[in-house]
């Protein structure tokens, strides 16, 4: 009888604990939702006047400013661009963390996508005097199904960093076919390899955390928000992959990840071919 009473009391305590935990969880979820909404509203509100500032700066720069004004306008342009990037990145992280990011599934040609990305960054490569090599495995099926916008965002971010932290060196982007599974899925291996400044061993994990940057000196010299790699890591994970980083100070860095893509069924391709 005594044991029963103790058991009942224990049960009551357990139920109360569970109830308290549930209340705490609900509170945390509400707080997190409120935080996400607040961040989103603030960021959107900041974006509108900032667009005006950036637009007017651009106009003023075209109006043949006096020599003494050019420096001020350059500085205004730099700060405006920095803030725009920062706000967009905060919005992006917020969207990812509140599970509001939708993943597309459309047919696309990987080689074309990668070539377009290369063209858009070629100027940046030459301004740092970097050789920029793109190597897309010929064995990769031409019609993949996936989210090309998010893939481009990941790859562009990594190449941007590679080109930014490398001077008079080489940036090599490689996409290889690792495996075709059941004739329906292609497993691809992406690598962005640079011969730049490298990342110290104790920073290899933390560079993926928000606002984490290399050393103070690196940050001062190269600028940036410290949010790019946070977004890259989250996007790769959302698409079902995992990002890896190997690096050696003074020698360079290699960022790599695997992603799976469905392959457009052969029948759909052959219909197009018949039409031609
Ligand atoms: P940032 O906007 O500062 O570049 P990221 O999140 O993209 O932010 O990168 C975080 C930090 O990781 C950078 O500040 C830099 O110190 C380091 N980093 C990223 N990519 C490279 C690279 N390819 N080579 C050397 N350091 C890098």
């Amino acid at each position: 009888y005594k044991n029963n009473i103790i058991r009942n009391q224990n049960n009551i305590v357990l139920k109360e604990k569970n109830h308290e935990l549930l209340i705490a969880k609900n509170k945390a979820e509400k707080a997190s939702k409120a935080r996400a909404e607040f961040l989103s509203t603030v960021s959107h509100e900041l974006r509108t006047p900032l667009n005006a500032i950036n637009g007017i700066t651009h106009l003023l720069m075209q109006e043949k400013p006096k020599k003494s004004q050019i420096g001020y306008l350059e500085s205004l342009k730099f700060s405006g661009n920095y803030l725009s990037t920062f706000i967009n990145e905060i919005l992006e992280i917020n969207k990812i963390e509140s599970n509001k990011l939708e993943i597309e599934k459309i047919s696309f040609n990987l080689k074309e996508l990668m070539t377009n990305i290369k063209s858009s960054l070629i100027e940046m490569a030459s301004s740092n005097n970097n050789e920029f090599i793109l190597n897309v495995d010929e064995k990769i099926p031409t019609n993949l199904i996936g989210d090309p916008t998010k893939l481009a965002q990941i790859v562009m971010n990594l190449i941007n960093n590679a080109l930014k932290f490398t001077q008079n060196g080489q940036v090599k982007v490689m996409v290889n076919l690792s495996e075709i599974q059941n004739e329906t899925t292609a497993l691809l291996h992406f690598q962005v390899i640079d011969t730049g400044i490298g990342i110290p061993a104790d920073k290899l994990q933390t560079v993926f955390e928000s606002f984490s940057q290399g050393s103070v000196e690196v940050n001062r010299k190269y600028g940036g928000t410290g949010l790019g790699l946070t977004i890259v890591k989250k996007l790769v994970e959302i698409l079902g992959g995992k990002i890896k980083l190997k690096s050696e100070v003074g020698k360079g860095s290699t960022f790599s990840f695997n992603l799976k893509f469905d392959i457009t069924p052969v029948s759909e391709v052959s219909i197009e071919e018949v039409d031609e």
Side-chain angles (χ1 to χ4, degrees):
Y1 179 70
K2 231 183 187 177
N3 274 347
N4 259 348
I5 291 181
I6 293 173
R7 213 173 291 143
N8 277 345
Q9 276 174 341
N10 279 347
N11 265 344
I12 290 169
V13 171
L14 247 163
K15 270 188 188 154
E16 276 174 0
K17 271 265 171 317
N18 272 343
H19 188 62
E20 274 170 23
L21 273 174
L22 205 72
I23 290 176
K25 196 173 161 238
N26 276 344
K27 260 192 185 167
E29 272 170 12
K30 268 193 190 152
S32 151
K33 208 172 158 215
R35 189 190 66 132
E37 272 168 20
F38 174 75
L39 262 181
S40 170
T41 311
V42 169
S43 308
H44 277 114
E45 288 297 321
L46 284 173
R47 212 148 61 158
T48 315
L50 188 59
N51 283 343
I53 294 172
N54 287 344
I56 293 167
T57 306
H58 182 71
L59 283 178
L60 287 174
M61 283 181 115
Q62 289 179 326
E63 296 266 316
K64 295 203 183 90
K66 284 188 214 152
K67 242 190 188 161
S68 61
Q69 293 169 334
I70 292 177
Y72 297 135
L73 286 173
E74 289 287 352
S75 158
L76 201 55
K77 182 179 161 190
F78 177 84
S79 304
N81 282 341
Y82 173 84
L83 263 185
S84 288
T85 310
F86 186 73
I87 290 170
N88 286 338
E89 287 177 341
I90 290 275
L91 275 169
E92 181 84 13
I93 290 180
N94 204 28
K95 231 188 202 172
I96 297 173
E97 284 183 349
S98 47
N99 295 325
K100 285 202 177 124
L101 207 68
E102 280 169 21
I103 301 170
E104 267 190 324
K105 271 200 168 250
I106 55 173
S107 174
F108 71 102
N109 182 314
L110 183 84
K111 182 137 196 204
E112 257 173 44
L113 182 78
M114 296 300 295
T115 310
N116 287 340
I117 291 175
K118 185 180 175 186
S119 310
S120 72
L121 293 170
I122 211 114
E123 213 173 291
M124 186 177 177
S126 63
S127 72
N128 263 355
N129 201 24
N130 286 322
E131 189 187 2
F132 185 1
I133 299 168
L134 169 65
N135 210 319
V136 181
D137 192 339
E138 293 296 335
K139 293 194 292 291
I140 295 175
T142 46
N143 273 309
L144 298 177
I145 298 173
D147 193 325
T149 315
K150 289 195 186 62
L151 178 62
Q153 205 179 340
I154 294 166
V155 174
M156 279 184 86
N157 233 312
L158 292 178
I159 303 177
N160 228 313
N161 275 347
L163 292 171
K164 179 166 124 182
F165 296 108
T166 308
Q167 242 158 22
N168 306 317
Q170 190 193 68
V171 172
K172 196 156 136 191
V173 182
M174 306 228 281
V175 194
N176 286 303
L177 178 68
S178 304
E179 201 186 335
I180 298 248
Q181 297 167 334
N182 304 323
E183 294 179 22
T184 55
T185 313
L187 184 62
L188 305 188
H189 184 59
F190 293 80
Q191 280 173 289
V192 178
I193 307 158
D194 69 55
T195 59
I197 62 169
I199 298 168
D202 64 326
K203 289 267 160 52
L204 289 180
Q205 288 301 321
T206 54
V207 285
F208 293 104
E209 289 167 12
S210 298
F211 304 114
S212 148
Q213 295 182 308
S215 62
V216 178
E217 301 84 61
V218 169
N219 183 19
R220 203 170 290 144
K221 183 166 172 202
Y222 295 91
T225 59
L227 290 173
L229 285 180
T230 309
I231 295 176
V232 164
K233 181 170 185 272
K234 285 179 191 283
L235 285 179
V236 170
E237 286 168 3
I238 282 177
L239 296 183
K242 195 168 187 285
I243 186 128
K244 287 187 186 151
L245 164 60
K246 267 197 232 160
S247 189
E248 206 177 317
V249 172
K251 290 221 164 132
S253 314
T254 299
F255 286 84
S256 63
F257 58 92
N258 285 313
L259 281 184
K260 273 184 189 172
F261 293 92
D262 287 338
I263 306 167
T264 315
V266 180
S267 59
E268 283 180 34
V269 178
S270 61
I271 288 169
E272 271 175 36
E273 278 168 5
V274 170
D275 278 346
E276 278 171 19

